[in-house]
Amino acid sequence: MQCSNCGHSVTDEAHSFCTECGEPLKVPGDEAASTGDESYGSEDYNAGDYAGDYSWEEPPPPPSLFARMDEALSKVLAPVKDVAGQTWEAIQGVMDDPRLRSRLPGGSLTLLGLACVGLALLLSVIPFVAGIGFLGSGVMLLGGLLVAINEWRILSQPGTQEFRTANARTLPASLENLPEETQHPAIAQAYAALTLTHALLMLGTGLVSLLWLLAALVLGYEQGRRFFVSPELDHDPDAGNLRQRLDRWVVVGVVVCSFSLLLPWARGHMPMLGPSGGEQPLATFTQLTLVLLACFALRHRGLSSLHPIVLVIMAVWLTMWFFLMMSPYTVGPWFFLPGLLTLDAVIVLHLFQLRRSGQAAEVSSDLDYRG
């Protein structure tokens, strides 16, 4: 080191002062530090790296089991919806064909469906042809007569049918004076649902089975349009997406349960040839309950169109019938069980949602009242 005052060279680095003039020696590193150079000792220092935001964004929580199942169901139903849409367009083209309507009395498909039901009941009189039983036949016969009278009343009114080709006769006075309760449109819609119930329980390749399917298709098309487009006076515009997703699961549960009723529910001579679920006692009420659940789930307001007590009765009936008719040694009940659990879970979630929305409405109205 060299003294900055006298220029004397100091070879011993242990000395901190000049041996000639006594002035303190300056270390080269101290000179850079004394100049106040901010770049000293700050190699690649970036204040922004340390003065930035210290909050880390937490990863989103994993989707719930219901969300994953609903996403998988959406992927499965996508092609099904496309096929169903094309099938519906084909059916609509046939049913609304003027060439078909012009050959029907008053252009009514309902009367055609009633004729198919009557022919199926007539063929069931033959001993070796399967039918729906004496009681079921009596109910369908009396209900069909009432539906025919109401349809005749509709056709006799001017301007009520789009495909009318000629004016229908006026309804006789003896039939016109029936109570108003027998003229409700829901009677024909319930009759169509009951026809579909028998068609599903008798699903097969025989002539009677095909007649029931044709009757269910025709009545379901005609009465279904009136059922699904009926005005909803208590429409809720704020209905959440959860309700719509639950309604889809209702349809899935109904399809699974209805399919299981075609499988054996009791032991037979062979494992897969025992009596089916449709042959069990009170199976008609069970299948009718499933049909009604699916119809209301596909409606605009879904299960909200049904009173909560009615939903509870339906869930209790399906569960009770399953445990009364269950046989652990056949495949039918084991197919019915997943659909039953799905329907019960959806109904419970729907009732909880109704209760929560009702409590929220009560709280909001109370706050509005207090101002």
Side-chain angles (χ1 to χ4, degrees), residues 82-115:
D82 296 337
V83 175
Q86 297 174 2
T87 305
W88 173 254
E89 292 178 359
I91 294 176
Q92 190 174 15
V94 174
M95 295 296 178
D96 292 339
D97 192 347
R99 291 173 296 181
L100 173 63
R101 295 278 190 160
S102 61
R103 291 175 171 82
L104 299 177
S108 174
L109 290 174
T110 300
L111 296 180
L112 175 61
L114 293 176

Side-chain angles (χ1 to χ4, degrees), residues 81 123 126 192 333:
K81 288 182 178 179
L123 292 177
I126 303 176

Side-chain angles (χ1 to χ4, degrees), residues 89-227:
E89 292 178 359
I91 294 176
Q92 190 174 15
V94 174
M95 295 296 178
D96 292 339
D97 192 347
R99 291 173 296 181
L100 173 63
R101 295 278 190 160
S102 61
R103 291 175 171 82
L104 299 177
S108 174
L109 290 174
T110 300
L111 296 180
L112 175 61
L114 293 176
C116 293
V117 172
L119 182 58
L121 294 177
L122 181 62
L123 292 177
S124 300
V125 178
I126 303 176
F128 56 87
V129 176
I132 60 175
F134 179 78
L135 180 60
S137 300
V139 172
M140 295 300 296
L141 182 60
L142 294 178
L145 290 176
L146 184 58
V147 173
I149 293 173
N150 291 335
E151 189 69 14
W152 188 0
R153 182 182 292 107
I154 294 175
L155 293 176
S156 62
Q157 298 175 0
T160 56
Q161 287 292 324
E162 180 181 358
F163 297 93
R164 287 182 60 185
T165 57
N167 293 328
R169 292 182 179 180
T170 306
L171 194 68
S174 58
L175 299 178
E176 188 69 37
N177 296 328
L178 292 177
E180 293 185 2
E181 290 78 7
T182 62
Q183 305 176 19
H184 199 280
I187 296 177
Q189 298 168 8
Y191 187 86
L194 188 57
T195 304
L196 178 59
T197 297
H198 290 303
L200 292 176
L201 293 178
M202 299 186 63
L203 198 61
T205 57
L207 178 59
V208 175
S209 176
L210 294 178
L211 284 174
W212 278 108
L213 280 178
L214 180 59
L217 179 62
V218 174
L219 287 173
Y221 178 81
E222 183 83 351
Q223 300 300 326
R225 291 195 305 178
R226 302 174 185 178
F227 175 77

Side-chain angles (χ1 to χ4, degrees), residues 229-242:
V229 302
S230 59
E232 301 282 354
L233 300 178
D234 52 347
H235 170 62
D236 184 9
D238 299 327
N241 190 34
L242 176 61

